[in-house]
Amino acid sequence: MPVRRIVSVLCTLGPSSLNRGTIERLQSRGVDLFRINLSHTPLDRVAETIRTIQSFSNVPVCLDTEGAQVRTGTMAADAEVHDRQHVVLTAESIAGNAGRFTLTPPSVFENLKPNTLIGVDFDGVVLLVLQANADGVDTVVLNGGRIGSNKAVTVDPAPVLPPLSAKDIQAVKIGLEYGVRHFALSFANSAEDVKQLRELVGPDSTIISKIESKRGVRNIDAILTETDEILIDRGDLSREVPLENLPFLQKAIIRKANIAKVPVNVATNLLESMIVNRKPTRAELNDIVNTMLDGANGLVLAAETAIGSHPVRTVDIVLGLIERYRRSLEGFRIADLLDGGSVLLPSPHGEASPPVPLPVALSQDSAARRHSSRYPSIEIDLETAMDVEQIAHGVYSPLRGFMTRDELEGVLDRHRLPDGQIWTMPIVLQGKSQEFAAFQPGQSIRLIDQRTGESTAILHLEDKYEIELENVAKRWFGTADRAHPGVARFMSKGVTLLGGPIEYLGPASVARSPYQLTPQQTRMVFDIKGWTKIVAFHTRNVPHRGHEHVIANACERASADGIFIHPVIGPKKVGDFTQQAVMGAYERLISARVPNALLAAFSTYSRYCGPREAVFTALCRKNFGCTHFVLGRDHTGVGGFYTANQNRDLFEELGDIGITPVFFDSVHFSDEADDTIESATLGDGRAISGTAVRDLLVQGQAVPDWCMRSDISNWLLEMQGSGQPLFID
């Protein structure tokens, strides 16, 4: 089960993120609160904004009030003032320019006396009040610059303003009508301010008091007795205190909140650089980590997700830091911090803490390798050699070798290893009795790849046992019928099994696909791409329109960042497509329609054992770093040996396995819709059949475009015409 996050993430929605796709992806990340900033949301759009969020998500909404804040009104786009220039401030609602503009709320003008300083935005314009008259307030510019619309204004001496504006009160009432129960009080200056909001929202609502003024800091103890949470807004606070004091002030406020057991959130400039850039600065990362070490309970993203170019990526960076922080509380070794990959991807299946080391390739000068020539040896076939490599690379995690009798029995009877970890696929080293006659537990045995005669691994034999083939076949495949290709292969190999961990000596020197990526490599690529939600697509055939429909819709269903297309390239049955045909066809599909895809080759072989293999292939993709896995109605089945619902039934029986299945029904082509549709029955649609595709290509005929993309069909025919085989002989 996922570990509960110890620091919350509050995410501001705005033009960059106020859409279905982004909201659903942020919800899938587990964002704790969606914030609506009323300072940038007109009153007539509050209800619409709440409805938009609630229609695509069940994440609670927080209305953040304007509060006791002075702002500029609407300004001309090119408004710029210069030193010593005179500017008139007016309470009238006008479109401002460089010579005259307004401030809100109007009540602020009661406080604009001679010698009052007015600062506009961060490090911006500074005005000095000279006098007030019938036309407004006459000021002189002490520091020039540009003046934008709706920019925050600092007044010194600070005016006393009501805690809620008229707009705030109306917006809060609208929020209550829509079930909003979280409210942030901007510029909470006193406990009385909190009480006023409490009277409006009721005792069942959560109030987050924003500490962003000197008065708020001075009254922090009283505010902590009335509020449910606080939020340190470092941006507005920096207008009133020196920037170099902010880190120390933050620590002091957090310490007070922690002592009072009041949750404390921190906002402003957490990942400001990511408004534009895909990666943060090291200074920003250090700031966030130190903020959590100080004792912050929540982190607030504002402009980064409201107007930034990478709202989801920004949230992922924060979530990754939170997870690393959580792990650091349990202690860590320096070696742990050298591992690559995102901590937001699922851990390898069954990973222990600390993890059991994989049987990584032994160095040429290792003692085990030097002594291996003394060990007795056995030849292993291509399928077993593939299993050795997948064990070594962690694809079959938590396995560290071939199964003992206890492991095999647990998998066959309970879909679990002896330690309780879910595992559905027997991974066995099988042979004839006479081949294994000399071996006894306690020995070390060299495994020789029969293709090259090279040693590929050392098996440390823990168990040697015999099985009854028909009995095991029925429990493994659900049948002992030799017409089943998986059964036929299994029953041809012998009754004696060897079990135990392996030490990997390295891959055999045979030609291999350059697309064969290891889990460590795919996780590195996912991290570089910024993907933390990845759908895996398993296949052994070239893509027709049914596959294309599933691939195109899988990311949307899973709210994922990308799809990992991972065809099986190991030995197949006669009539299956060759590795070159499958990989080349998917390259063309990705270029034409699926830009957010990673294509890699899965060096394994089909067992054709239906539900067991469906779960097994999902767990393998979890080890590659995927979070979701596509499952069709006949996934990894063969003939009529498995029913349509068996895959779903086994996933439901096993529960959470750490990777989420994304189920698809059968896909047909609808003439009425002129597109592919998904349904359990064919109805008036046209069946999209892999067998029909294969038959047409065998005859040298083009596949209709409604059944397969024409550029793929034509390329396959060209490949066949040039003498390259499309099918396994």
Side-chain angles (χ1 to χ4, degrees):
M1 296 296 290
V3 179
R4 183 181 180 276
R5 212 168 47 241
I6 60 174
V7 176
S8 301
V9 176
L10 290 71
C11 187
T12 308
L13 298 185
S16 294
S17 50
L18 203 54
N19 58 77
R20 177 177 183 170
T22 305
I23 290 172
E24 289 181 345
R25 289 173 68 197
L26 290 173
Q27 174 175 264
S28 75
R29 265 69 178 172
V31 168
D32 297 279
L33 208 61
F34 282 143
R35 170 180 173 255
I36 300 174
N37 187 349
L38 292 178
S39 295
H40 298 289
T41 307
L43 185 60
D44 60 5
R45 291 195 56 204
V46 171
E48 174 193 348
T49 304
I50 295 172
R51 285 195 301 268
T52 298
I53 297 171
Q54 292 180 338
S55 62
F56 303 135
S57 147
N58 55 18
V59 175
V61 173
C62 175
L63 286 183
D64 191 334
T65 68
E66 291 182 326
Q69 184 178 28
V70 182
R71 285 185 172 269
T72 60
T74 302
M75 297 293 297
D78 57 352
E80 184 172 359
V81 297
H82 305 280
D83 287 9
R84 296 177 299 282
Q85 174 187 338
H86 281 247
V87 177
V88 174
L89 305 180
T90 176
E92 298 177 37
S93 180
I94 62 169
N97 54 44
R100 183 182 179 89
F101 63 90
T102 188
L103 300 179
T104 60
S107 59
V108 71
F109 284 86
E110 299 172 6
N111 299 270
L112 299 185
K113 311 296 183 185
N115 300 115
T116 300
L117 279 180
I118 299 172
V120 181
D121 208 7
F122 295 99
D123 299 322
V125 173
V126 178
L127 309 175
L128 174 67
V129 174
L130 299 178
Q131 62 179 348
N133 53 46
D135 294 327
V137 176
D138 184 28
T139 70
V140 64
V141 179
L142 300 186
N143 191 63
R146 300 182 67 85
I147 301 177
S149 300
N150 198 36
K151 295 300 182 182
V153 172
T154 302
V155 179
D156 184 29
V160 177
L161 300 173
L164 299 170
S165 67
K167 173 185 171 182
D168 288 335
I169 294 171
Q170 291 302 312
V172 167
K173 289 178 179 178
I174 293 170
L176 291 171
E177 291 175 5
Y178 282 92
V180 174
R181 289 296 178 269
H182 289 78
F183 301 91
L185 177 61
S186 292
F187 296 94
N189 289 319
S190 67
E192 289 303 315
D193 292 350
V194 183
K195 290 178 182 178
Q196 284 193 42
L197 180 56
R198 180 73 70 190
E199 289 177 5
L200 184 59
V201 302
D204 296 331
S205 296
T206 297
I207 294 178
I208 305 172
S209 296
K210 295 173 68 177
I211 308 302
E212 45 192 336
S213 67
K214 286 182 180 179
R215 286 184 61 207
V217 175
R218 290 192 178 105
N219 294 324
I220 185 66
D221 292 325
I223 291 172
L224 288 170
T225 64
E226 297 294 337
T227 192
D228 299 299
E229 301 183 23
I230 64 168
L231 189 158
I232 304 173
D233 188 317
R234 304 183 299 187
D236 285 299
L237 194 53
S238 69
R239 302 178 203 279
E240 300 196 21
V241 300
L243 274 173
E244 59 270 26
N245 289 357
L246 269 181
F248 302 99
L249 198 54
Q250 173 178 302
K251 292 175 185 293
I253 296 171
I254 291 175
R255 187 161 54 248
K256 279 182 172 290
N258 289 164
I259 292 171
K261 293 184 169 49
V262 174
V264 53
N265 308 282
V266 175
T268 313
N269 305 120
L270 292 178
L271 292 172
E272 195 82 358
S273 67
M274 290 191 71
I275 292 176
V276 176
N277 302 325
R278 285 184 51 81
K279 290 187 176 181
T281 66
R282 287 182 289 275
E284 288 169 332
L285 298 179
N286 273 287
D287 173 40
I288 293 175
V289 170
N290 283 314
T291 294
M292 291 188 289
L293 290 171
D294 286 345
N297 307 104
L299 300 170
V300 184
L301 292 168
E304 300 96 328
T305 53
I307 61 172
S309 301
H310 314 288
V312 178
R313 175 64 173 160
T314 302
V315 169
D316 282 342
I317 293 292
V318 171
L319 293 176
L321 287 172
I322 292 172
E323 174 59 14
R324 296 235 181 239
Y325 167 61
R326 184 193 66 78
R327 296 185 186 188
S328 76
L329 298 179
E330 301 169 359
F332 57 82
R333 302 167 301 165
I334 290 179
D336 298 332
L337 301 178
L338 301 179
D339 292 337
S342 169
V343 294
L344 299 182
L345 299 177
S347 297
H349 184 61
E351 183 179 88
S353 183
V356 177
L358 289 171
V360 292
L362 299 174
S363 63
Q364 292 294 329
D365 60 351
S366 69
R369 179 182 285 276
R370 290 198 305 271
H371 296 153
S372 65
S373 60
R374 306 175 187 174
Y375 301 146
S377 64
I378 53 174
E379 278 196 349
I380 56 174
D381 58 18
L382 174 57
E383 289 95 337
T384 306
M386 285 183 162
D387 284 340
V388 166
E389 285 201 18
Q390 302 309 333
I391 292 168
H393 293 310
V395 178
Y396 295 171
S397 178
L399 301 186
R400 296 296 183 264
F402 292 98
M403 288 182 173
T404 63
R405 182 190 296 274
D406 285 348
E407 290 170 330
L408 177 62
E409 291 295 320
V411 167
L412 293 174
D413 291 342
R414 302 183 302 279
H415 301 115
R416 279 175 167 76
L417 296 168
D419 63 0
Q421 290 291 342
I422 291 172
W423 190 262
T424 59
M425 182 64 70
I427 303 295
V428 294
L429 178 52
Q430 184 180 0
K432 306 286 197 255
S433 298
Q434 59 270 29
E435 294 176 310
F436 294 167
F439 302 135
Q440 296 299 325
Q443 284 184 292
S444 294
I445 304 165
R446 277 185 301 136
L447 304 183
I448 308 295
D449 190 317
Q450 68 179 19
R451 295 171 294 176
T452 62
E454 298 169 352
S455 298
T456 186
I458 300 169
L459 170 68
H460 298 291
L461 187 60
E462 289 185 352
D463 197 7
K464 174 184 174 183
Y465 56 104
E466 294 194 350
I467 56 173
E468 200 283 304
L469 290 174
E470 186 167 321
N471 174 274
V472 171
K474 288 179 179 178
R475 295 155 70 199
W476 183 347
F477 301 95
T479 179
D481 187 344
R482 289 179 181 266
H484 185 296
V487 172
R489 178 195 292 136
F490 166 67
M491 296 187 76
S492 70
K493 286 196 169 184
V495 299
T496 303
L497 275 64
L498 303 180
I502 65 169
E503 283 186 276
Y504 188 46
L505 298 176
S509 52
V510 295
R512 59 187 59 238
S513 168
Y515 284 101
Q516 287 178 236
L517 303 179
T518 67
Q520 182 179 3
Q521 291 173 324
T522 57
R523 287 169 180 265
M524 181 178 71
V525 174
F526 295 156
D527 190 36
I528 292 170
K529 285 180 172 289
W531 292 358
T532 61
K533 299 288 183 184
I534 303 105
V535 182
F537 180 74
H538 172 102
T539 183
R540 63 176 189 267
N541 292 310
V542 296
H544 53 52
R545 290 290 189 182
H547 299 125
E548 188 172 331
H549 175 98
V550 169
I551 289 170
N553 287 276
C555 283
E556 181 179 351
R557 292 196 184 181
S559 297
D561 305 311
I563 187 161
F564 181 48
I565 299 177
H566 206 200
V568 171
I569 63 165
K572 301 177 182 179
K573 64 182 190 302
V574 173
D576 280 351
F577 284 96
T578 63
Q579 166 190 331
Q580 293 77 12
V582 173
M583 297 301 291
Y586 273 103
E587 285 179 335
R588 281 153 181 79
L589 175 60
I590 290 169
S591 297
R593 190 174 180 184
V594 198
N596 59 331
L598 175 66
L599 177 65
F602 189 15
S603 182
T604 189
Y605 54 97
S606 294
R607 280 80 168 177
Y608 306 102
C609 59
R612 282 186 182 276
E613 193 158 357
V615 175
F616 164 70
T617 50
L619 291 175
C620 289
R621 276 27 177 264
K622 173 186 175 183
N623 289 329
F624 277 98
C626 298
T627 57
H628 295 74
F629 185 70
V630 170
L631 282 156
R633 285 170 61 86
D634 59 349
H635 184 91
T636 62
V638 62
F641 287 101
Y642 308 103
T643 63
N645 293 324
Q646 275 187 268
N647 288 339
R648 187 186 293 263
D649 291 344
L650 182 55
F651 273 89
E652 290 178 353
E653 174 191 331
L654 295 176
D656 182 9
I657 64 171
I659 185 169
T660 303
V662 183
F663 292 105
F664 280 83
D665 222 319
S666 296
V667 178
H668 317 294
F669 185 84
S670 166
D671 290 312
E672 181 180 352
D674 193 29
D675 202 354
T676 48
I677 61 171
E678 191 180 341
S679 65
T681 57
L682 181 60
D684 296 329
R686 299 191 226 176
I688 300 174
S689 164
T691 301
V693 168
R694 189 178 290 107
D695 290 344
L696 287 170
L697 292 172
V698 166
Q699 298 167 26
Q701 298 182 33
V703 181
D705 189 70
W706 62 264
C707 185
M708 173 181 277
R709 185 174 286 271
S710 293
D711 57 343
I712 294 176
S713 169
N714 293 337
W715 176 78
L716 290 169
L717 289 173
E718 290 171 9
M719 178 180 173
Q720 186 169 246
S722 67
Q724 300 178 69
L726 283 186
F727 306 102
I728 304 294
D729 294 330

